[in-house]
Amino acid sequence: MIPVAKPWLGEAEAAAASRVIQSGWVTQGPEVLAFEREFAAYVGAPHACAVSNCTTALHLALLAAGTGPGDEVIVPTHSFIATANAVRHCGAVPVFVDVRPGDVNLDPALLPAAVTPKTKAILAVHQIGQPCDLQAILAFARPRGLPVIEDAACAIGSEIEREGRWEKIGRPHADAACFSFHPRKLVTTGDGGMITTAKPDWDRKFRLWRQHGMSVPDSVRHGAAQVVFEDYVEVGYNYRLTDVQAAMGREQLKRLPAMVARRREQAVRYAELLAGIPGLGVPREPAGARWNWQSYAVTLPAGADQRKVMQTLLDAGVATRRGVMCAHREPAYAGVPWRVAPGQALRRSEEARDRMIILPLYYDLGAEAQRAVARALSLALTAAR
Ligand SMILES: *Cc1c(COP(=O)(O)O)cnc(C)c1O
């Protein structure tokens, strides 16, 4: 059986977790601080704040942008449901926009029609790790004073070219970038998240809100020689990452360059192996972007039954997943407010959902296994015809 994904974990992570457990300090503390510093250095960000997952990261970033009940946030529908949910967690209304033709990311050309006086922010997703067109999104948002938040859940290790230099996603290029450490992403801590920003005031808010709005972190109080009384200055949340998770994350960061390099080789190999399959759409790296290939999603030929193809593959020992979902099509969004700009449809997102499938991709996936996947897909498509 070839799984669709598999985290790359080993003795180093186990030893790091064990070291923290034996230290006696297991919640947010020195390991979280060290992980934040190392993460910030890796992406080239002035500030990095660790949180419990990417959904809570998005929630805090939207709050920092001032998002509240009745506001609108422009967001692609073609994303994991957490993207739209974070908007709802603020009490705001998602305004869904479509993706670019043949792409998984938001179409910047649709922004002018989607914006209203109620728009509070744009949530720009780097879907399946493929950098979206941030330059175009920022060119639209900046003159209007609209904050842009990057949903970089899948994009650790991806890069964009700016003025002839390669820069990591998370630098951050917009107002804040939010990452996930769920096992389906590259770096994992089981669950976990990180928010990078260049704004010191936003970083201060994130740190306050993630720990109940508490004026003094408990790690500081613990080490103080004097008695410290803390205040709870705002109604905050418990969005902490633990030191056990952070210690794992620090080891995962060391593996990250090798993870990205391997995935980039595997993507080239898939492209070669799949090139001959009639009607199959193979993903291509956009110009000015280096993709970490968090997921390798192909587009099935028109008319091929997605479920049947996936079942035939599963019967042949190859696990796949349906392509990225559309939030507006999920039952959760039947009863809550959302909008689409007048005259716009979400057809390209719906078509992408219905025609894309995600193929196996993980560190240990060898060339022989990739050939087996390609063969099985070719046979499954022949059978579906
Ligand atoms: C995985 C993912 C999230 C949610 O991340 P969690 O850490 O599981 O909360 C949000 N947005 C996108 C695009 C994702 O892929």
Side-chain angles (χ1 to χ4, degrees), residues 196-241:
T196 60
T197 183
K199 299 181 146 169
D201 52 329
W202 280 32
D203 186 62
R204 267 196 303 277
K205 286 178 184 170
F206 300 150
R207 286 168 194 283
L208 189 68
W209 290 337
R210 75 173 168 181
Q211 196 171 20
H212 305 292
M214 191 176 177
S215 59
V216 187
D218 49 11
S219 51
V220 171
R221 201 174 43 173
H222 180 74
Q226 258 89 44
V227 170
V228 178
F229 285 1
E230 79 283 12
D231 293 312
Y232 297 84
V233 294
E234 283 191 56
V235 177
Y237 304 88
N238 178 358
Y239 284 175
R240 284 181 299 233
L241 191 75

mmCIF file of all heavy atoms in Angstrom, residues 196-241:
data_model
loop_
_atom_site.group_PDB
_atom_site.id
_atom_site.type_symbol
_atom_site.label_atom_id
_atom_site.label_comp_id
_atom_site.label_asym_id
_atom_site.label_seq_id
_atom_site.Cartn_x
_atom_site.Cartn_y
_atom_site.Cartn_z
ATOM 1 N N THR A 196 4.117 34.742 11.344
ATOM 2 C CA THR A 196 5.236 35.665 11.172
ATOM 3 C C THR A 196 4.695 37.027 10.755
ATOM 4 O O THR A 196 3.676 37.116 10.057
ATOM 5 C CB THR A 196 6.236 35.158 10.119
ATOM 6 O OG1 THR A 196 5.570 35.021 8.857
ATOM 7 C CG2 THR A 196 6.843 33.816 10.524
ATOM 8 N N THR A 197 5.372 38.064 11.207
ATOM 9 C CA THR A 197 4.974 39.421 10.834
ATOM 10 C C THR A 197 6.181 40.344 10.946
ATOM 11 O O THR A 197 7.142 40.035 11.662
ATOM 12 C CB THR A 197 3.818 39.937 11.730
ATOM 13 O OG1 THR A 197 3.410 41.231 11.291
ATOM 14 C CG2 THR A 197 4.214 40.009 13.191
ATOM 15 N N ALA A 198 6.101 41.471 10.253
ATOM 16 C CA ALA A 198 7.123 42.502 10.408
ATOM 17 C C ALA A 198 6.629 43.592 11.354
ATOM 18 O O ALA A 198 7.343 44.559 11.611
ATOM 19 C CB ALA A 198 7.477 43.088 9.044
ATOM 20 N N LYS A 199 5.393 43.449 11.837
ATOM 21 C CA LYS A 199 4.796 44.497 12.673
ATOM 22 C C LYS A 199 4.954 44.154 14.148
ATOM 23 O O LYS A 199 4.282 43.246 14.651
ATOM 24 C CB LYS A 199 3.304 44.608 12.361
ATOM 25 C CG LYS A 199 3.023 44.987 10.930
ATOM 26 C CD LYS A 199 1.545 45.106 10.709
ATOM 27 C CE LYS A 199 1.338 46.211 9.699
ATOM 28 N NZ LYS A 199 0.075 46.338 9.158
ATOM 29 N N PRO A 200 5.787 44.889 14.898
ATOM 30 C CA PRO A 200 5.986 44.576 16.319
ATOM 31 C C PRO A 200 4.692 44.663 17.121
ATOM 32 O O PRO A 200 4.488 43.887 18.057
ATOM 33 C CB PRO A 200 7.012 45.615 16.787
ATOM 34 C CG PRO A 200 7.247 46.539 15.648
ATOM 35 C CD PRO A 200 6.594 46.002 14.427
ATOM 36 N N ASP A 201 3.791 45.590 16.762
ATOM 37 C CA ASP A 201 2.543 45.714 17.531
ATOM 38 C C ASP A 201 1.640 44.499 17.317
ATOM 39 O O ASP A 201 0.974 44.041 18.243
ATOM 40 C CB ASP A 201 1.810 47.015 17.192
ATOM 41 C CG ASP A 201 1.594 47.203 15.699
ATOM 42 O OD1 ASP A 201 2.438 46.730 14.897
ATOM 43 O OD2 ASP A 201 0.579 47.795 15.314
ATOM 44 N N TRP A 202 1.637 43.952 16.097
ATOM 45 C CA TRP A 202 0.844 42.733 15.849
ATOM 46 C C TRP A 202 1.443 41.569 16.624
ATOM 47 O O TRP A 202 0.735 40.792 17.248
ATOM 48 C CB TRP A 202 0.807 42.399 14.343
ATOM 49 C CG TRP A 202 -0.185 43.211 13.576
ATOM 50 C CD1 TRP A 202 -0.572 44.491 13.840
ATOM 51 C CD2 TRP A 202 -0.921 42.779 12.418
ATOM 52 N NE1 TRP A 202 -1.486 44.893 12.902
ATOM 53 C CE2 TRP A 202 -1.720 43.877 12.029
ATOM 54 C CE3 TRP A 202 -0.972 41.610 11.672
ATOM 55 C CZ2 TRP A 202 -2.573 43.816 10.907
ATOM 56 C CZ3 TRP A 202 -1.808 41.541 10.562
ATOM 57 C CH2 TRP A 202 -2.609 42.638 10.185
ATOM 58 N N ASP A 203 2.759 41.457 16.601
ATOM 59 C CA ASP A 203 3.418 40.354 17.315
ATOM 60 C C ASP A 203 3.096 40.415 18.814
ATOM 61 O O ASP A 203 2.838 39.389 19.438
ATOM 62 C CB ASP A 203 4.932 40.407 17.068
ATOM 63 C CG ASP A 203 5.644 39.206 17.665
ATOM 64 O OD1 ASP A 203 5.359 38.071 17.232
ATOM 65 O OD2 ASP A 203 6.459 39.392 18.586
ATOM 66 N N ARG A 204 3.102 41.619 19.369
ATOM 67 C CA ARG A 204 2.759 41.780 20.790
ATOM 68 C C ARG A 204 1.339 41.310 21.068
ATOM 69 O O ARG A 204 1.071 40.627 22.054
ATOM 70 C CB ARG A 204 2.918 43.251 21.211
ATOM 71 C CG ARG A 204 4.294 43.570 21.800
ATOM 72 C CD ARG A 204 4.299 44.901 22.566
ATOM 73 N NE ARG A 204 3.861 46.024 21.733
ATOM 74 C CZ ARG A 204 4.660 46.692 20.894
ATOM 75 N NH1 ARG A 204 5.933 46.368 20.786
ATOM 76 N NH2 ARG A 204 4.188 47.694 20.164
ATOM 77 N N LYS A 205 0.416 41.650 20.161
ATOM 78 C CA LYS A 205 -0.979 41.211 20.331
ATOM 79 C C LYS A 205 -1.088 39.690 20.266
ATOM 80 O O LYS A 205 -1.793 39.076 21.073
ATOM 81 C CB LYS A 205 -1.859 41.814 19.232
ATOM 82 C CG LYS A 205 -2.133 43.293 19.424
ATOM 83 C CD LYS A 205 -2.962 43.856 18.277
ATOM 84 C CE LYS A 205 -3.131 45.351 18.467
ATOM 85 N NZ LYS A 205 -3.716 46.009 17.296
ATOM 86 N N PHE A 206 -0.398 39.088 19.309
ATOM 87 C CA PHE A 206 -0.465 37.626 19.184
ATOM 88 C C PHE A 206 -0.023 36.959 20.489
ATOM 89 O O PHE A 206 -0.628 36.010 20.961
ATOM 90 C CB PHE A 206 0.421 37.120 18.041
ATOM 91 C CG PHE A 206 0.055 37.662 16.680
ATOM 92 C CD1 PHE A 206 1.036 37.833 15.693
ATOM 93 C CD2 PHE A 206 -1.243 37.999 16.372
ATOM 94 C CE1 PHE A 206 0.717 38.322 14.439
ATOM 95 C CE2 PHE A 206 -1.577 38.496 15.112
ATOM 96 C CZ PHE A 206 -0.582 38.659 14.148
ATOM 97 N N ARG A 207 1.070 37.482 21.062
ATOM 98 C CA ARG A 207 1.627 36.888 22.285
ATOM 99 C C ARG A 207 0.690 37.056 23.473
ATOM 100 O O ARG A 207 0.590 36.179 24.332
ATOM 101 C CB ARG A 207 3.004 37.508 22.587
ATOM 102 C CG ARG A 207 4.047 36.996 21.652
ATOM 103 C CD ARG A 207 5.368 37.722 21.667
ATOM 104 N NE ARG A 207 6.072 37.279 20.487
ATOM 105 C CZ ARG A 207 6.676 36.097 20.399
ATOM 106 N NH1 ARG A 207 6.709 35.281 21.426
ATOM 107 N NH2 ARG A 207 7.247 35.734 19.263
ATOM 108 N N LEU A 208 0.008 38.178 23.509
ATOM 109 C CA LEU A 208 -0.957 38.433 24.576
ATOM 110 C C LEU A 208 -2.186 37.525 24.409
ATOM 111 O O LEU A 208 -2.604 36.849 25.356
ATOM 112 C CB LEU A 208 -1.363 39.910 24.502
ATOM 113 C CG LEU A 208 -2.198 40.474 25.641
ATOM 114 C CD1 LEU A 208 -1.386 40.524 26.931
ATOM 115 C CD2 LEU A 208 -2.693 41.877 25.279
ATOM 116 N N TRP A 209 -2.732 37.505 23.212
ATOM 117 C CA TRP A 209 -3.993 36.789 22.967
ATOM 118 C C TRP A 209 -3.835 35.277 23.078
ATOM 119 O O TRP A 209 -4.762 34.583 23.471
ATOM 120 C CB TRP A 209 -4.546 37.142 21.574
ATOM 121 C CG TRP A 209 -5.055 38.534 21.450
ATOM 122 C CD1 TRP A 209 -5.488 39.340 22.476
ATOM 123 C CD2 TRP A 209 -5.188 39.300 20.251
ATOM 124 N NE1 TRP A 209 -5.883 40.558 21.964
ATOM 125 C CE2 TRP A 209 -5.708 40.561 20.613
ATOM 126 C CE3 TRP A 209 -4.920 39.054 18.903
ATOM 127 C CZ2 TRP A 209 -5.979 41.559 19.683
ATOM 128 C CZ3 TRP A 209 -5.182 40.043 17.969
ATOM 129 C CH2 TRP A 209 -5.700 41.284 18.356
ATOM 130 N N ARG A 210 -2.646 34.756 22.707
ATOM 131 C CA ARG A 210 -2.492 33.295 22.712
ATOM 132 C C ARG A 210 -2.466 32.755 24.135
ATOM 133 O O ARG A 210 -2.609 31.572 24.352
ATOM 134 C CB ARG A 210 -1.219 32.878 21.974
ATOM 135 C CG ARG A 210 0.048 33.142 22.752
ATOM 136 C CD ARG A 210 1.279 32.588 22.088
ATOM 137 N NE ARG A 210 2.477 33.102 22.720
ATOM 138 C CZ ARG A 210 3.699 32.811 22.356
ATOM 139 N NH1 ARG A 210 3.904 32.003 21.317
ATOM 140 N NH2 ARG A 210 4.733 33.321 22.969
ATOM 141 N N GLN A 211 -2.224 33.615 25.116
ATOM 142 C CA GLN A 211 -2.108 33.158 26.494
ATOM 143 C C GLN A 211 -3.052 33.936 27.407
ATOM 144 O O GLN A 211 -2.638 34.615 28.345
ATOM 145 C CB GLN A 211 -0.658 33.287 26.966
ATOM 146 C CG GLN A 211 -0.422 32.486 28.214
ATOM 147 C CD GLN A 211 1.030 32.416 28.604
ATOM 148 O OE1 GLN A 211 1.840 33.232 28.178
ATOM 149 N NE2 GLN A 211 1.371 31.447 29.431
ATOM 150 N N HIS A 212 -4.361 33.855 27.077
ATOM 151 C CA HIS A 212 -5.424 34.364 27.950
ATOM 152 C C HIS A 212 -5.372 35.877 28.191
ATOM 153 O O HIS A 212 -5.971 36.358 29.147
ATOM 154 C CB HIS A 212 -5.379 33.653 29.320
ATOM 155 C CG HIS A 212 -5.449 32.161 29.237
ATOM 156 N ND1 HIS A 212 -6.575 31.483 28.815
ATOM 157 C CD2 HIS A 212 -4.514 31.209 29.498
ATOM 158 C CE1 HIS A 212 -6.349 30.184 28.853
ATOM 159 N NE2 HIS A 212 -5.096 29.978 29.232
ATOM 160 N N GLY A 213 -4.630 36.610 27.355
ATOM 161 C CA GLY A 213 -4.531 38.050 27.575
ATOM 162 C C GLY A 213 -3.731 38.416 28.822
ATOM 163 O O GLY A 213 -3.910 39.480 29.419
ATOM 164 N N MET A 214 -2.814 37.529 29.178
ATOM 165 C CA MET A 214 -2.068 37.630 30.439
ATOM 166 C C MET A 214 -0.847 38.543 30.270
ATOM 167 O O MET A 214 -0.057 38.365 29.343
ATOM 168 C CB MET A 214 -1.621 36.199 30.757
ATOM 169 C CG MET A 214 -1.062 35.929 32.083
ATOM 170 S SD MET A 214 -0.789 34.115 32.078
ATOM 171 C CE MET A 214 -0.034 33.933 33.650
ATOM 172 N N SER A 215 -0.687 39.503 31.193
ATOM 173 C CA SER A 215 0.362 40.526 31.033
ATOM 174 C C SER A 215 1.767 39.951 31.191
ATOM 175 O O SER A 215 2.718 40.470 30.621
ATOM 176 C CB SER A 215 0.139 41.654 32.042
ATOM 177 O OG SER A 215 0.169 41.124 33.366
ATOM 178 N N VAL A 216 1.922 38.881 31.976
ATOM 179 C CA VAL A 216 3.242 38.266 32.207
ATOM 180 C C VAL A 216 3.153 36.784 31.861
ATOM 181 O O VAL A 216 2.356 36.072 32.474
ATOM 182 C CB VAL A 216 3.660 38.395 33.699
ATOM 183 C CG1 VAL A 216 5.086 37.910 33.896
ATOM 184 C CG2 VAL A 216 3.485 39.820 34.176
ATOM 185 N N PRO A 217 3.924 36.297 30.904
ATOM 186 C CA PRO A 217 3.866 34.862 30.600
ATOM 187 C C PRO A 217 4.244 34.043 31.833
ATOM 188 O O PRO A 217 5.098 34.469 32.621
ATOM 189 C CB PRO A 217 4.914 34.680 29.494
ATOM 190 C CG PRO A 217 5.189 36.038 28.959
ATOM 191 C CD PRO A 217 4.905 36.997 30.069
ATOM 192 N N ASP A 218 3.615 32.877 32.001
ATOM 193 C CA ASP A 218 3.882 32.106 33.218
ATOM 194 C C ASP A 218 5.332 31.618 33.296
ATOM 195 O O ASP A 218 5.868 31.431 34.389
ATOM 196 C CB ASP A 218 2.879 30.950 33.413
ATOM 197 C CG ASP A 218 2.688 30.105 32.183
ATOM 198 O OD1 ASP A 218 3.483 30.272 31.232
ATOM 199 O OD2 ASP A 218 1.766 29.279 32.155
ATOM 200 N N SER A 219 5.994 31.474 32.121
ATOM 201 C CA SER A 219 7.403 31.059 32.145
ATOM 202 C C SER A 219 8.263 32.143 32.802
ATOM 203 O O SER A 219 9.232 31.843 33.489
ATOM 204 C CB SER A 219 7.893 30.781 30.719
ATOM 205 O OG SER A 219 7.585 31.854 29.875
ATOM 206 N N VAL A 220 7.885 33.419 32.618
ATOM 207 C CA VAL A 220 8.620 34.529 33.228
ATOM 208 C C VAL A 220 8.358 34.555 34.739
ATOM 209 O O VAL A 220 9.283 34.657 35.551
ATOM 210 C CB VAL A 220 8.202 35.869 32.577
ATOM 211 C CG1 VAL A 220 8.787 37.053 33.335
ATOM 212 C CG2 VAL A 220 8.617 35.903 31.111
ATOM 213 N N ARG A 221 7.083 34.401 35.120
ATOM 214 C CA ARG A 221 6.708 34.408 36.534
ATOM 215 C C ARG A 221 7.422 33.278 37.284
ATOM 216 O O ARG A 221 7.901 33.442 38.387
ATOM 217 C CB ARG A 221 5.197 34.234 36.627
ATOM 218 C CG ARG A 221 4.592 34.709 37.918
ATOM 219 C CD ARG A 221 3.083 34.643 37.858
ATOM 220 N NE ARG A 221 2.628 33.407 37.232
ATOM 221 C CZ ARG A 221 1.356 33.033 37.171
ATOM 222 N NH1 ARG A 221 0.416 33.791 37.663
ATOM 223 N NH2 ARG A 221 1.016 31.903 36.590
ATOM 224 N N HIS A 222 7.503 32.120 36.606
ATOM 225 C CA HIS A 222 8.112 30.935 37.201
ATOM 226 C C HIS A 222 9.580 31.188 37.587
ATOM 227 O O HIS A 222 10.043 30.740 38.628
ATOM 228 C CB HIS A 222 8.021 29.772 36.205
ATOM 229 C CG HIS A 222 8.607 28.494 36.701
ATOM 230 N ND1 HIS A 222 7.982 27.712 37.642
ATOM 231 C CD2 HIS A 222 9.770 27.857 36.399
ATOM 232 C CE1 HIS A 222 8.719 26.648 37.887
ATOM 233 N NE2 HIS A 222 9.817 26.708 37.156
ATOM 234 N N GLY A 223 10.284 31.917 36.704
ATOM 235 C CA GLY A 223 11.719 32.124 36.933
ATOM 236 C C GLY A 223 12.036 33.375 37.743
ATOM 237 O O GLY A 223 13.206 33.659 38.013
ATOM 238 N N ALA A 224 11.015 34.156 38.141
ATOM 239 C CA ALA A 224 11.273 35.453 38.777
ATOM 240 C C ALA A 224 11.703 35.288 40.238
ATOM 241 O O ALA A 224 11.192 34.426 40.960
ATOM 242 C CB ALA A 224 10.021 36.318 38.707
ATOM 243 N N ALA A 225 12.646 36.140 40.675
ATOM 244 C CA ALA A 225 13.119 36.109 42.064
ATOM 245 C C ALA A 225 12.149 36.876 42.964
ATOM 246 O O ALA A 225 12.099 36.657 44.171
ATOM 247 C CB ALA A 225 14.515 36.716 42.147
ATOM 248 N N GLN A 226 11.397 37.802 42.343
ATOM 249 C CA GLN A 226 10.400 38.562 43.109
ATOM 250 C C GLN A 226 9.000 38.004 42.817
ATOM 251 O O GLN A 226 8.782 37.395 41.774
ATOM 252 C CB GLN A 226 10.409 40.045 42.671
ATOM 253 C CG GLN A 226 11.144 40.954 43.641
ATOM 254 C CD GLN A 226 12.614 41.042 43.291
ATOM 255 O OE1 GLN A 226 12.935 41.180 42.116
ATOM 256 N NE2 GLN A 226 13.497 40.928 44.264
ATOM 257 N N VAL A 227 8.115 38.268 43.746
ATOM 258 C CA VAL A 227 6.713 37.903 43.526
ATOM 259 C C VAL A 227 6.159 38.760 42.388
ATOM 260 O O VAL A 227 6.363 39.974 42.365
ATOM 261 C CB VAL A 227 5.890 38.139 44.818
ATOM 262 C CG1 VAL A 227 4.402 37.993 44.542
ATOM 263 C CG2 VAL A 227 6.342 37.157 45.895
ATOM 264 N N VAL A 228 5.503 38.096 41.425
ATOM 265 C CA VAL A 228 4.926 38.826 40.284
ATOM 266 C C VAL A 228 3.423 38.591 40.263
ATOM 267 O O VAL A 228 2.969 37.442 40.299
ATOM 268 C CB VAL A 228 5.543 38.348 38.945
ATOM 269 C CG1 VAL A 228 4.906 39.086 37.781
ATOM 270 C CG2 VAL A 228 7.049 38.534 38.935
ATOM 271 N N PHE A 229 2.629 39.676 40.254
ATOM 272 C CA PHE A 229 1.188 39.561 40.048
ATOM 273 C C PHE A 229 0.894 39.909 38.601
ATOM 274 O O PHE A 229 1.296 40.971 38.128
ATOM 275 C CB PHE A 229 0.420 40.536 40.952
ATOM 276 C CG PHE A 229 0.357 40.101 42.398
ATOM 277 C CD1 PHE A 229 0.964 38.935 42.836
ATOM 278 C CD2 PHE A 229 -0.335 40.877 43.322
ATOM 279 C CE1 PHE A 229 0.904 38.546 44.170
ATOM 280 C CE2 PHE A 229 -0.400 40.491 44.654
ATOM 281 C CZ PHE A 229 0.217 39.337 45.087
ATOM 282 N N GLU A 230 0.194 39.017 37.911
ATOM 283 C CA GLU A 230 -0.126 39.293 36.510
ATOM 284 C C GLU A 230 -1.519 39.916 36.395
ATOM 285 O O GLU A 230 -2.346 39.758 37.302
ATOM 286 C CB GLU A 230 -0.057 37.998 35.674
ATOM 287 C CG GLU A 230 -1.256 37.076 35.782
ATOM 288 C CD GLU A 230 -1.298 36.251 37.070
ATOM 289 O OE1 GLU A 230 -0.517 36.551 37.994
ATOM 290 O OE2 GLU A 230 -2.134 35.338 37.130
ATOM 291 N N ASP A 231 -1.743 40.619 35.275
ATOM 292 C CA ASP A 231 -3.081 41.133 34.951
ATOM 293 C C ASP A 231 -3.573 40.439 33.699
ATOM 294 O O ASP A 231 -2.766 39.983 32.879
ATOM 295 C CB ASP A 231 -3.013 42.643 34.670
ATOM 296 C CG ASP A 231 -2.664 43.422 35.917
ATOM 297 O OD1 ASP A 231 -3.290 43.166 36.960
ATOM 298 O OD2 ASP A 231 -1.756 44.278 35.833
ATOM 299 N N TYR A 232 -4.872 40.403 33.572
ATOM 300 C CA TYR A 232 -5.483 39.888 32.339
ATOM 301 C C TYR A 232 -6.095 41.088 31.628
ATOM 302 O O TYR A 232 -7.166 41.546 32.003
ATOM 303 C CB TYR A 232 -6.485 38.771 32.665
ATOM 304 C CG TYR A 232 -5.739 37.616 33.295
ATOM 305 C CD1 TYR A 232 -5.461 37.612 34.660
ATOM 306 C CD2 TYR A 232 -5.232 36.602 32.506
ATOM 307 C CE1 TYR A 232 -4.714 36.589 35.226
ATOM 308 C CE2 TYR A 232 -4.487 35.569 33.066
ATOM 309 C CZ TYR A 232 -4.230 35.573 34.431
ATOM 310 O OH TYR A 232 -3.484 34.576 34.980
ATOM 311 N N VAL A 233 -5.340 41.618 30.679
ATOM 312 C CA VAL A 233 -5.651 42.947 30.158
ATOM 313 C C VAL A 233 -6.638 42.905 28.998
ATOM 314 O O VAL A 233 -7.215 43.917 28.647
ATOM 315 C CB VAL A 233 -4.362 43.699 29.759
ATOM 316 C CG1 VAL A 233 -3.513 43.984 30.986
ATOM 317 C CG2 VAL A 233 -3.551 42.917 28.733
ATOM 318 N N GLU A 234 -6.825 41.735 28.402
ATOM 319 C CA GLU A 234 -7.829 41.594 27.347
ATOM 320 C C GLU A 234 -8.433 40.208 27.455
ATOM 321 O O GLU A 234 -7.825 39.309 28.046
ATOM 322 C CB GLU A 234 -7.182 41.759 25.965
ATOM 323 C CG GLU A 234 -6.880 43.200 25.610
ATOM 324 C CD GLU A 234 -6.495 43.328 24.145
ATOM 325 O OE1 GLU A 234 -7.290 42.903 23.285
ATOM 326 O OE2 GLU A 234 -5.401 43.821 23.884
ATOM 327 N N VAL A 235 -9.604 40.029 26.847
ATOM 328 C CA VAL A 235 -10.197 38.694 26.802
ATOM 329 C C VAL A 235 -9.430 37.908 25.744
ATOM 330 O O VAL A 235 -9.579 38.142 24.544
ATOM 331 C CB VAL A 235 -11.704 38.742 26.463
ATOM 332 C CG1 VAL A 235 -12.279 37.334 26.352
ATOM 333 C CG2 VAL A 235 -12.458 39.545 27.517
ATOM 334 N N GLY A 236 -8.569 37.013 26.187
ATOM 335 C CA GLY A 236 -7.707 36.291 25.252
ATOM 336 C C GLY A 236 -8.185 34.877 25.000
ATOM 337 O O GLY A 236 -9.360 34.557 25.196
ATOM 338 N N TYR A 237 -7.263 34.048 24.567
ATOM 339 C CA TYR A 237 -7.566 32.663 24.198
ATOM 340 C C TYR A 237 -6.475 31.767 24.777
ATOM 341 O O TYR A 237 -5.430 32.258 25.192
ATOM 342 C CB TYR A 237 -7.560 32.518 22.663
ATOM 343 C CG TYR A 237 -8.506 33.467 21.980
ATOM 344 C CD1 TYR A 237 -8.093 34.755 21.624
ATOM 345 C CD2 TYR A 237 -9.824 33.084 21.712
ATOM 346 C CE1 TYR A 237 -8.966 35.643 21.024
ATOM 347 C CE2 TYR A 237 -10.699 33.966 21.106
ATOM 348 C CZ TYR A 237 -10.263 35.246 20.760
ATOM 349 O OH TYR A 237 -11.126 36.113 20.167
ATOM 350 N N ASN A 238 -6.707 30.471 24.756
ATOM 351 C CA ASN A 238 -5.601 29.554 24.992
ATOM 352 C C ASN A 238 -5.214 28.958 23.650
ATOM 353 O O ASN A 238 -5.803 27.976 23.207
ATOM 354 C CB ASN A 238 -5.971 28.461 25.998
ATOM 355 C CG ASN A 238 -4.816 27.485 26.191
ATOM 356 O OD1 ASN A 238 -3.769 27.617 25.552
ATOM 357 N ND2 ASN A 238 -4.978 26.531 27.056
ATOM 358 N N TYR A 239 -4.255 29.567 22.990
ATOM 359 C CA TYR A 239 -3.796 29.133 21.664
ATOM 360 C C TYR A 239 -2.310 28.766 21.746
ATOM 361 O O TYR A 239 -1.562 28.987 20.803
ATOM 362 C CB TYR A 239 -4.009 30.251 20.642
ATOM 363 C CG TYR A 239 -5.446 30.456 20.175
ATOM 364 C CD1 TYR A 239 -5.755 31.522 19.322
ATOM 365 C CD2 TYR A 239 -6.477 29.595 20.550
ATOM 366 C CE1 TYR A 239 -7.049 31.725 18.868
ATOM 367 C CE2 TYR A 239 -7.774 29.798 20.102
ATOM 368 C CZ TYR A 239 -8.052 30.863 19.259
ATOM 369 O OH TYR A 239 -9.337 31.069 18.803
ATOM 370 N N ARG A 240 -1.875 28.253 22.892
ATOM 371 C CA ARG A 240 -0.455 27.970 23.064
ATOM 372 C C ARG A 240 0.009 26.709 22.341
ATOM 373 O O ARG A 240 -0.724 25.732 22.248
ATOM 374 C CB ARG A 240 -0.144 27.770 24.557
ATOM 375 C CG ARG A 240 -0.103 29.043 25.359
ATOM 376 C CD ARG A 240 0.242 28.727 26.805
ATOM 377 N NE ARG A 240 -0.759 27.868 27.392
ATOM 378 C CZ ARG A 240 -1.395 28.130 28.532
ATOM 379 N NH1 ARG A 240 -1.102 29.215 29.218
ATOM 380 N NH2 ARG A 240 -2.296 27.304 29.003
ATOM 381 N N LEU A 241 1.259 26.729 21.915
ATOM 382 C CA LEU A 241 1.980 25.514 21.518
ATOM 383 C C LEU A 241 2.713 25.040 22.779
ATOM 384 O O LEU A 241 3.093 25.851 23.612
ATOM 385 C CB LEU A 241 2.997 25.863 20.418
ATOM 386 C CG LEU A 241 3.656 24.689 19.691
ATOM 387 C CD1 LEU A 241 2.671 24.048 18.712
ATOM 388 C CD2 LEU A 241 4.895 25.148 18.918
#
